[in-house]
Every structure is written in C-alpha cells, then in structure tokens.
Amino acid sequence: MEGTKDVRKNRLDILTSQYEAFKSLPGESITQVFERLNMLLNELSIHGKTYHQREVNKKFILLLPHHLENKASSVRERVEFETMTLEKLYGKLKTHEIEQEQRKIIYGGGTIDSKNVELLKTTALVASGIK
C-alpha cells in the first residue's frame, strides 16, 4: 500500500464504489464475472475492507446469466449459502453450466462452437453393439 493516508483512503473509496456498482458485462461468462469480482474483493481486502460472505454470494448470484437462475435459486436456499466461499459457489454454478452444455451436445439442441469444443473433450461416449 503506497502513498499517503489520504491517497489510500481515496483508493478505498474508489474500490468501494466499484464494488457497489459492480455488474456483469454483456457477453461476459460466469468465469469472467467471478474473476473480476474476486480481484476486486482481494484489492478491497488489502485496503482493509471486507464484506460478509452472504452479501458477496448474493451479489454474485444476482449477476449470473439467465440460464443459471434455477440453479442459483436452489443454491441460495441452502443453509450453508451464508458461509459458502465465493470459490465454492462459483464451482457449483460452473459445474452446473458445464453439465447443461454437455447435455445439449449429447442430446441435441447444442451447437458445436469454440465455447463448447473443450466440453466435447471431457464428454465420454459409450459404444454399444461392438462386433
């Protein structure tokens, strides 16, 4: 932490404002939102500002894309939601998102583009009727 007390205080005010106004950007993935939010929280922590875990989790869930609403609701209703780390919350939601994409690829309705090419590499296919 460099600078005078006033500089550090001003930096903290700017970071706090950024946190309060934090939103996901158009076309941003859940991973990108998580990384930006996590970096901001780390910087706030360095400057002595922390938030209750429930508040951070709620903020993250409210930023999620529409296709994760159902999973977000079910996670929010869990008892451990208030104490769950942001990393664990992200992991649960990202896992769900990957599973949704895999289902689309396997059962139809999904297109193969650069986003889900990596998912194809992790999808196991079982052959039947081998001769």
Side-chain angles (χ1 to χ4, degrees):
M1 295 190 349
E2 297 179 19
T4 66
K5 184 178 178 180
D6 288 339
V7 170
R8 290 190 305 267
K9 186 176 178 182
N10 187 43
R11 180 69 179 144
L12 179 58
D13 290 343
I14 291 168
L15 291 168
T16 301
S17 294
Q18 288 176 347
Y19 175 81
E20 290 170 358
F22 191 91
K23 294 182 178 163
S24 59
L25 304 173
E28 194 172 34
S29 72
I30 182 176
T31 300
Q32 292 168 320
V33 173
F34 167 75
E35 288 173 350
R36 281 193 318 112
L37 181 59
N38 204 32
M39 283 191 334
L40 180 57
L41 289 167
N42 287 337
E43 201 165 342
L44 280 160
S45 178
I46 289 169
H47 286 80
K49 177 83 172 182
T50 58
Y51 292 91
H52 290 285
Q53 194 62 52
R54 181 182 189 282
E55 181 183 341
V56 171
N57 291 348
K58 185 176 176 186
K59 184 168 207 63
F60 182 63
I61 277 189
L62 293 174
L63 299 169
L64 296 175
H66 177 71
H67 70 277
L68 292 170
E69 280 182 25
N70 291 336
K71 181 64 174 178
S73 293
S74 69
V75 170
R76 190 177 22 221
E77 292 171 3
R78 292 182 178 186
V79 174
E80 73 264 16
F81 175 74
E82 294 189 18
T83 58
M84 184 183 301
T85 65
L86 184 59
E87 290 78 11
K88 185 173 181 180
L89 176 59
Y90 164 74
K92 288 184 176 298
L93 295 167
K94 185 63 181 175
T95 299
H96 178 74
E97 183 180 57
I98 290 169
E99 288 170 352
Q100 282 183 319
E101 290 297 323
Q102 287 177 327
R103 278 188 205 98
K104 285 181 188 175
I105 293 166
I106 294 167
Y107 299 111
T111 59
I112 299 174
D113 59 19
S114 61
K115 179 182 173 189
N116 53 26
V117 164
E118 289 301 314
L119 293 175
L120 282 174
K121 293 177 184 176
T122 62
T123 303
L125 300 176
V126 178
S128 61
I130 299 175
K131 296 179 183 178

